[in-house]
């Protein structure tokens, strides 16, 4: 059945799992362990790990960050792995999963495209004795053994607070706020919205802000986001702030605002600290983004996957409630960070983007101003 050739660098098999994590309800340090169980017996060859990424258009992160950091972590652990991208195609997603299992994967790490197909893949894997991890997106009603992500409600809270800061800086009076939400099929989009609405709703209710158009963008599709925002701005030309759920949606709104010469006047939020998002911030067209240190997320997921591939049962201290499956999913959640013009340099210092890719000719002066050396 298994035709894998293990490219195990001698001695690299022992991956130490020191996962620092925050649990669903508050935090604490988590150590995923399970190692050492077979100290006297000869260690069995670890199984193969399959990872399915969702697409390469809804955010640059999947190909530029997640694939890179996961590969590096698996390579360092010396395990055999296969990372594929479903390119937004749900049938393809299921086909890839089937193929990975046929090819000997004993652990499957997925970023679902929606909970329905995610659940089908997870349940089928489980039936075949394949261990599963929900990576970044929780599959509602699913059967993953672990969930590794960020505190996504906190991501939304930072976006809401960020927009408030930028509107305050602009001394906006009773600003009309538009919301461009993520995909309705992504549980994260729901959590982000819970987070930012938690900040914005009291302001709508008190009359300090005015609630403007509020729409979800199917599949986080950036092109559709531009069309949706164009319609929002036509129906409500006085939009004074845009809560966009990620950098791609934010850029779509900024593109539309530019045509009306409103860029820079209307603050727009984002998420993912993409090169484009950070450049929009440097240019003054985007108010903030949320940086998620994907290396930490990838390292945590890889640590669990490697332990599972060795037949261990790693423990984590956090958990997240799956409201649909009505179960607590053992979880590792990392902390997000708000990024404004002043601290774009933190993202560079962390090695997430390089000065070379960020500070191209058009942005060189702004980079200097932002203290990016
Ligand atoms: C991720 C975001 C990403 C979005 C679109 C979400 O589930 O958490 O980082 O921007 O999907 O891919």
């Amino acid at each position: 059945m298994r035709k894998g050739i293990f490219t195990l660098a001698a001695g690299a098999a022992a991956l130490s799992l020191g996962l620092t994590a925050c649990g669903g309800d508050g935090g604490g340090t988590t150590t995923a362990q399970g190692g050492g169980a077979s100290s006297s017996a000869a260690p069995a060859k670890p199984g193969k790990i399959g990872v399915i990424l969702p697409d390469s258009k809804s955010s640059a992160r999947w190909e530029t960050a997640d694939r890179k950091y996961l590969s590096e972590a698996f390579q360092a652990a010396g395990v055999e792995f296969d990372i594929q991208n479903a390119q937004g195609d749900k049938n393809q997603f299921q086909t890839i999963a089937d193929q990975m299992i046929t090819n000997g994967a004993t652990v499957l790490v997925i970023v679902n495209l929606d909970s329905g197909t995610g659940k089908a893949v997870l349940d089928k894997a489980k039936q075949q004795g394949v261990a599963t991890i929900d990576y970044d997106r929780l599959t509602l009603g699913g059967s993953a053994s672990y969930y590794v992500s960020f505190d996504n409600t906190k991501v939304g809270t930072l976006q809401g607070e960020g927009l408030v800061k930028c509107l305050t800086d602009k001394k906006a009076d009773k600003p009309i706020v538009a919301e461009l939400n993520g995909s309705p099929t992504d549980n994260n989009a729901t959590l982000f919205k819970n987070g930012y609405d938690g900040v914005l709703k009291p302001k709508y209710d008190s009359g300090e802000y005015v609630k403007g158009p509020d729409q979800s963008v199917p599949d986080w599709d950036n092109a559709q986001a531009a069309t949706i925002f164009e319609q929002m701005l036509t129906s409500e030309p006085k939009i004074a702030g845009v809560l966009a759920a990620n950098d791609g949606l934010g850029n779509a709104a900024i593109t539309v605002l530019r045509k009306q010469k409103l860029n820079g006047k209307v603050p727009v939020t984002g998420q993912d600290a993409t090169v484009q998002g950070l450049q929009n911030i440097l240019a003054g067209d985007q108010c903030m983004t949320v940086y998620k240190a994907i290396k930490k997320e990838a390292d945590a997921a890889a640590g669990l996957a490697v332990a599972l591939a060795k037949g261990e049962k790693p423990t984590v201290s956090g958990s997240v409630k799956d409201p649909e499956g009505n179960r607590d999913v053992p979880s590792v959640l990392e902390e997000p960070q708000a990024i404004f013009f002043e601290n774009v340099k933190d993202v560079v210092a962390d090695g997430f983007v390089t000065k070379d890719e960020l500070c191209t000719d058009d942005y060189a002066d702004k980079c200097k101003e932002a203290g990016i050396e």
Side-chain angles (χ1 to χ4, degrees), residues 273-310:
T274 59
V275 169
Q276 184 179 59
L278 294 171
Q279 288 180 334
N280 282 338
I281 293 177
L282 290 172
D285 291 348
Q286 185 170 326
C287 131
M288 60 88 67
T289 186
V290 177
Y291 170 49
K292 302 193 294 189
I294 291 168
K295 185 178 186 321
K296 285 191 194 162
E297 184 184 24
D299 283 348
L304 289 171
V306 170
L308 290 167
K310 291 181 186 167

Side-chain angles (χ1 to χ4, degrees), residues 58-59 61-62 136-137 186 188 192 220 246 272 292:
S58 66
S59 172
R61 65 168 282 182
W62 306 115
D136 201 72
R137 300 175 179 167
D186 180 352
N188 285 346
F192 302 148
W220 296 90
N246 80 355
D272 289 344
K292 302 193 294 189

Side-chain angles (χ1 to χ4, degrees), residues 212-330:
D214 177 359
Q215 243 176 283
S216 295
V217 179
D219 302 324
W220 296 90
D221 183 309
N222 292 193
Q224 274 195 65
T227 310
I228 291 171
F229 187 71
E230 197 137 34
Q231 285 159 0
M232 287 180 169
L233 199 58
T234 307
S235 69
E236 186 48 87
K238 290 200 177 119
I239 287 172
V242 184
L243 193 308
N246 80 355
D247 284 353
L249 305 188
N251 187 66
I254 289 166
T255 311
V256 175
L257 289 167
R258 273 191 196 123
K259 288 196 236 161
Q260 312 283 335
K261 300 208 162 37
L262 286 170
N263 55 308
K265 295 188 178 126
V266 176
V268 178
T269 64
Q271 169 180 191
D272 289 344
T274 59
V275 169
Q276 184 179 59
L278 294 171
Q279 288 180 334
N280 282 338
I281 293 177
L282 290 172
D285 291 348
Q286 185 170 326
C287 131
M288 60 88 67
T289 186
V290 177
Y291 170 49
K292 302 193 294 189
I294 291 168
K295 185 178 186 321
K296 285 191 194 162
E297 184 184 24
D299 283 348
L304 289 171
V306 170
L308 290 167
K310 291 181 186 167
E312 297 166 0
K313 284 197 166 54
T315 55
V316 296
S317 69
S319 72
V320 160
K321 179 101 186 163
D322 167 1
E324 215 161 293
N326 198 27
R327 66 173 186 127
D328 291 318
V329 189

Side-chain angles (χ1 to χ4, degrees), residues 69-311:
Y69 293 128
L70 286 167
S71 304
E72 286 172 1
F74 292 139
Q75 267 155 15
V79 292
E80 204 188 346
F81 65 96
D82 180 16
I83 303 178
Q84 292 195 44
N85 191 315
Q87 303 298 358
D89 182 333
K90 288 165 201 153
N91 290 325
Q92 184 61 12
F93 191 95
Q94 287 171 294
T95 306
I96 293 171
D98 289 342
Q99 282 166 355
M100 284 178 166
I101 295 172
T102 306
N103 290 336
T106 61
V107 183
L108 212 54
V109 180
I110 68 160
V111 185
N112 74 53
L113 284 168
D114 66 6
S115 283
T117 49
K119 178 179 164 49
V121 163
L122 294 169
D123 289 353
K124 201 165 173 185
K126 195 177 178 186
Q127 276 165 22
Q128 299 179 70
V130 172
T132 52
I133 299 174
D134 266 334
Y135 182 66
D136 201 72
R137 300 175 179 167
L138 181 69
T139 301
L140 298 177
S143 55
S145 306
Y146 300 91
Y147 171 50
V148 179
S149 191
F150 283 81
D151 179 340
N152 292 308
T153 308
K154 174 87 181 283
V155 170
T157 305
L158 294 176
Q159 292 173 317
E161 290 172 351
L163 187 63
V164 169
K165 177 186 181 305
C166 298
L167 286 168
T168 309
D169 288 351
K170 291 210 178 303
K171 300 191 171 45
D173 184 33
K174 291 200 180 17
I176 298 175
V177 172
E179 296 186 19
L180 210 45
N181 312 303
S183 175
T185 59
D186 180 352
N187 181 56
N188 285 346
T190 308
L191 299 175
F192 302 148
K193 188 165 173 58
N194 287 344
Y196 51 74
D197 280 348
V199 176
L200 297 173
K201 195 168 176 298
K203 298 202 175 276
Y204 300 145
D205 291 347
S206 72
E208 196 186 338
Y209 289 6
V210 178
K211 184 162 170 50
D214 177 359
Q215 243 176 283
S216 295
V217 179
D219 302 324
W220 296 90
D221 183 309
N222 292 193
Q224 274 195 65
T227 310
I228 291 171
F229 187 71
E230 197 137 34
Q231 285 159 0
M232 287 180 169
L233 199 58
T234 307
S235 69
E236 186 48 87
K238 290 200 177 119
I239 287 172
V242 184
L243 193 308
N246 80 355
D247 284 353
L249 305 188
N251 187 66
I254 289 166
T255 311
V256 175
L257 289 167
R258 273 191 196 123
K259 288 196 236 161
Q260 312 283 335
K261 300 208 162 37
L262 286 170
N263 55 308
K265 295 188 178 126
V266 176
V268 178
T269 64
Q271 169 180 191
D272 289 344
T274 59
V275 169
Q276 184 179 59
L278 294 171
Q279 288 180 334
N280 282 338
I281 293 177
L282 290 172
D285 291 348
Q286 185 170 326
C287 131
M288 60 88 67
T289 186
V290 177
Y291 170 49
K292 302 193 294 189
I294 291 168
K295 185 178 186 321
K296 285 191 194 162
E297 184 184 24
D299 283 348
L304 289 171
V306 170
L308 290 167
K310 291 181 186 167

